[in-house]
Amino acid sequence: MHDAFDSAIRGDLSSARFEPGPTEDKLILSMGPQHPSTHGVLRIMLELEGEYILRAEPILGYIHRMHEWMAEQKTYLQFIPNMGRVDYLHAMAWNWAYAGAVERLAGIEVPERAEYIRVAVTELNRISSHLVWWGAYLLDLGAFTPILYAFDDREQILDILQSATGSRLTYSYITIGGVYDDVPDDFRERCIEFVNRLRSRLPMYRDLVTDNVILRGRCEGIGVLPVDMARRYGATGPVLRGSGVASDVRRCEPYGVYDRFEFRVPTYPEGDAMARYKVRLDELEASCDIVEQVVSSLPEGPVTAKVSRVFKPPKGEACMAVEGARGKILVHVRSDGGLKPYRVKLRAPGFSNMSLFSELAQGVLLADAVSILGSLDLVIPEIDR
Amino acid sequence: MKRIKKAFTGLKSLAVGLGVTGRAFYAKNVTVIYPKEEVDNLASYRGHVELVGKEDAPDVPKCVACGSCAKACPSNAFTILCPVPPKEGEAASDPPVMGPAPQRGAKTPSKFILDFSLCSLCGQCVKTCPTKGLRFSNDPYLVSFTREDLKLDLLARLHSQAANSQPVPVPDTESVDK
């Protein structure tokens, strides 16, 4: 019986390095489902001693869709819809990173109104991404109700984004040279209304979840990430800010018109799951502030620069870093002067953040590993690309 | 003492949580029960593309069969066919041989098929169209059991739209029941 189970679980290449142990309590466990229809799940091989984790190894590649290779097969404009599929929760940031890199490559000047709209939609999208994370994380920890509240608020954002972009998840809205279409006339009112609504909901979030003793017990002091380890693994975004480093691409190397807005870069020095949680909740407020400033100072003008239908950037290379909901997104485009990119490199923040998991999960309880994994906010399609 | 304090904070958390969820229990229902109700914000939804008719003749498409939408499409979802002009010295065949747009002498498409099973709704075709002859429909309720049903004949759609001057959902319920 034991042997059959062992051979079934250790039957593939990635788990072959996990040997049955010398003690009775040692257990090899494959955590997380894997099936082609379950897009976006992570498989982790675990070596357990009782309920404690000795070794954890994430196994990747199940939804590798060759986005970088696809870029070499398509023209610059045809690759835009791919970006929304890389990270479906913060599609706008990826969209912007690619469009921005190509704009730098071709020297395209983006109209001011387009830059403002880009900031507004990206921040709205960031709020929706954090809300999904918030709901899903608490679902991982066993609380069901919060995800319903989070999705209620997220629906309002998706309605606003649908009125501007036409779709609710994969936008292809930020195009090379600007944005696809102008925002509707009531965009400003709807954004202000939403920002006020979310601000009135955040105290409820705090009462219901953040101050809850069960959540605190599950998060405080769990998965403590020292700053130097975060640096060595290349962690970015809320994971790094949860270790006390005030590093935000929007602040460190401002792109677009981010330097014109005032916003807070929240940091917490503790480095545990609770710190990462608090950073994200504070970012909801920071994003609300940015959205409010953008829509109240939205300039008039065209929303897209003139880009020829047969788009051929000059020979050369360019890259663009954008602060996504999960960290630093970087797109590097190289052109050989032809219709198609010679090479597009996508740097996914989730990959570096996930690499931390093996390190953080060593020696913790299995249930705490779930909490650590959730606090890293992984989007698997982005990691595999 | 510590234990009593812990129990007290736990009870307080419980009371606060129950208060929040209890208020939500009496709040207005926000879920749209889909098959029985429908959402009301479809005017801004970007569904599959459709042809735009001319202002003076709504059943004639603005399309000039240049083929730029087919070229711009990342997933080759368009099949636009026009009659191929006969080669020199050859008589025109009947029915004419069809070839992909653009064809010399053809100013309107004879067939305009969108394979919606390939489309990712990115809108590159609408953006690239030189005559503004394509627009988004706002019909999200496309259901089908076969891929063939999703090959939408946009010319037929335009004709039926011009005849009824109301959007007709494609495919209709009969083809779904098959």
Side-chain angles (χ1 to χ4, degrees):
Chain A
M1 178 65 199
H2 239 85
D3 287 349
F5 179 72
D6 271 6
S7 65
I9 202 164
R10 296 189 299 110
D12 60 11
L13 199 66
S14 26
S15 51
R17 276 175 292 152
F18 284 79
E19 291 294 319
T23 64
E24 186 83 332
D25 282 342
K26 188 163 163 180
L27 188 67
I28 311 287
L29 194 68
S30 193
M31 182 173 134
Q34 254 334 314
H35 188 271
S37 70
T38 58
H39 48 133
V41 289
L42 180 64
R43 178 185 176 198
I44 298 168
M45 286 302 293
L46 294 174
E47 189 180 319
L48 299 169
E49 177 78 39
E51 248 195 288
Y52 287 90
I53 292 173
L54 297 178
R55 194 149 62 102
E57 218 172 84
I59 296 168
L60 297 180
Y62 288 98
I63 37 173
H64 176 52
R65 289 153 300 164
M66 304 186 284
H67 279 298
E68 293 179 1
W69 182 83
M70 267 194 249
E72 295 161 25
Q73 312 304 317
K74 293 175 185 236
T75 64
Y76 287 89
L77 287 161
Q78 282 179 345
F79 187 56
I80 292 172
N82 276 59
M83 301 316 290
R85 275 87 186 162
V86 173
D87 176 356
Y88 54 92
L89 288 181
H90 203 184
M92 287 292 184
W94 279 93
N95 240 313
W96 193 351
Y98 173 69
V102 177
E103 279 154 12
R104 280 183 189 174
L105 183 65
I108 296 169
E109 193 75 33
V110 181
E112 204 176 34
R113 185 176 171 85
E115 292 277 26
Y116 273 70
I117 295 174
R118 281 180 179 189
V119 174
V121 291
T122 309
E123 291 308 320
L124 284 174
N125 203 191
R126 186 190 314 278
I127 298 174
S128 79
S129 170
H130 280 344
L131 285 175
V132 172
W133 163 81
W134 187 73
Y137 180 41
L138 296 165
L139 202 59
D140 284 351
L141 296 181
F144 182 73
T145 317
I147 196 170
L148 301 175
Y149 296 157
F151 268 59
D152 184 8
D153 285 338
R154 179 172 173 264
E155 277 307 299
Q156 316 299 321
I157 301 180
L158 295 190
D159 283 348
I160 296 174
L161 288 179
Q162 182 190 319
S163 73
T165 72
S167 47
R168 296 174 78 82
L169 204 63
T170 44
Y171 305 103
S172 332
Y173 181 59
I174 297 178
T175 56
I176 295 164
V179 293
Y180 191 86
D181 208 350
D182 207 346
V183 290
D185 297 333
D186 61 347
F187 185 70
R188 181 173 172 273
E189 287 76 46
R190 292 182 76 172
C191 284
I192 298 283
E193 192 190 328
F194 169 75
V195 164
N196 291 335
R197 177 198 155 107
L198 187 66
R199 281 191 184 136
S200 71
R201 296 268 285 187
L202 284 174
M204 183 269 276
Y205 284 6
R206 195 189 56 234
D207 287 347
L208 180 66
V209 182
T210 316
D211 287 347
N212 189 288
V213 278
I214 303 173
L215 179 92
R216 289 191 167 267
R218 291 293 302 273
C219 295
E220 272 174 357
I222 305 294
V224 177
L225 171 65
V227 179
D228 60 325
M229 198 208 279
R231 285 233 166 92
R232 265 183 282 139
Y233 276 90
T236 46
V239 176
L240 184 60
R241 290 196 281 280
S243 293
V245 184
S247 152
D248 188 317
V249 187
R250 293 174 291 174
R251 181 58 59 79
C252 304
E253 28 182 318
Y255 52 95
V257 287
Y258 270 113
D259 47 353
R260 298 186 199 172
F261 306 118
E262 298 227 341
F263 60 97
R264 201 162 73 87
V265 177
T267 55
Y268 285 90
E270 294 89 358
D272 56 358
M274 195 66 201
R276 296 191 275 276
Y277 172 96
K278 283 188 202 152
V279 165
R280 292 202 183 89
L281 278 201
D282 286 3
E283 274 184 17
L284 290 180
E285 284 173 54
S287 291
C288 280
D289 291 345
I290 299 177
V291 171
E292 203 174 42
Q293 289 172 54
V294 175
V295 294
S296 48
S297 60
L298 197 62
E300 293 298 318
V303 292
T304 178
K306 260 203 134 29
V307 177
S308 87
R309 288 204 172 83
V310 187
F311 179 66
K312 250 190 201 177
K315 216 169 172 174
E317 49 193 308
C319 72
M320 167 97 175
V322 164
E323 181 71 23
R326 272 151 284 284
K328 186 176 185 172
I329 294 166
L330 192 132
V331 175
H332 185 159
V333 183
R334 182 171 181 159
S335 155
D336 57 358
L339 278 170
K340 299 168 180 173
Y342 176 75
R343 173 89 169 92
V344 173
K345 157 76 187 154
L346 309 174
R347 190 251 186 218
F351 184 79
S352 311
N353 293 352
M354 183 214 54
S355 312
L356 283 161
F357 178 71
S358 314
E359 200 84 44
L360 295 179
Q362 253 173 37
V364 304
L365 285 165
L366 183 57
D368 287 347
V370 176
S371 171
I372 294 169
L373 193 61
S375 75
L376 295 175
D377 188 11
L378 305 178
V379 166
I380 317 303
E382 177 199 61
I383 295 171
D384 276 348
R385 298 193 290 288
Chain B
M1 192 65 210
K2 214 174 185 181
R3 212 179 261 178
I4 295 169
K5 209 176 158 194
K6 209 174 160 190
F8 182 73
T9 42
L11 278 174
K12 197 180 147 218
S13 267
L14 185 71
V16 169
L18 279 177
V20 170
T21 46
R23 270 200 301 281
F25 192 69
Y26 291 104
K28 214 177 119 242
N29 200 350
V30 290
T31 314
V32 178
I33 313 293
Y34 162 59
K36 293 176 193 156
E37 302 164 22
E38 288 185 4
V39 289
D40 53 2
N41 59 354
L42 290 178
S44 61
Y45 176 74
R46 263 180 14 191
H48 71 80
V49 291
E50 60 187 13
L51 287 168
V52 182
K54 287 181 179 164
E55 276 97 29
D56 46 344
D59 62 340
V60 181
K62 277 185 176 177
C63 172
V64 291
C66 66
S68 28
C69 48
K71 225 170 160 183
C73 180
S75 21
N76 287 329
F78 287 102
T79 313
I80 304 163
L81 295 178
C82 293
V84 181
K87 281 180 194 143
E88 266 180 64
E90 276 178 35
S93 58
D94 190 55
V97 186
M98 290 293 184
Q103 293 290 345
R104 197 160 44 82
K107 288 275 185 270
T108 48
S110 307
K111 269 232 172 294
F112 200 108
I113 311 277
L114 166 70
D115 190 347
F116 191 58
S117 64
L118 300 176
C119 174
S120 52
L121 295 173
C122 67
Q124 295 296 330
C125 46
V126 178
K127 194 101 183 158
T128 199
C129 183
T131 59
K132 300 206 171 15
L134 283 171
R135 65 161 177 240
F136 293 106
S137 65
N138 37 32
D139 171 23
Y141 303 118
L142 268 176
V143 182
S144 167
F145 289 113
T146 61
R147 274 164 188 261
E148 284 303 311
D149 285 346
L150 289 174
K151 288 194 174 143
L152 308 174
D153 189 341
L154 297 188
L155 271 178
R157 184 182 167 88
L158 180 72
H159 292 321
S160 69
Q161 271 176 349
N164 315 341
S165 66
Q166 250 184 16
V168 178
V170 177
D172 53 15
T173 36
E174 276 118 24
S175 61
V176 172
D177 289 341
K178 262 189 286 191

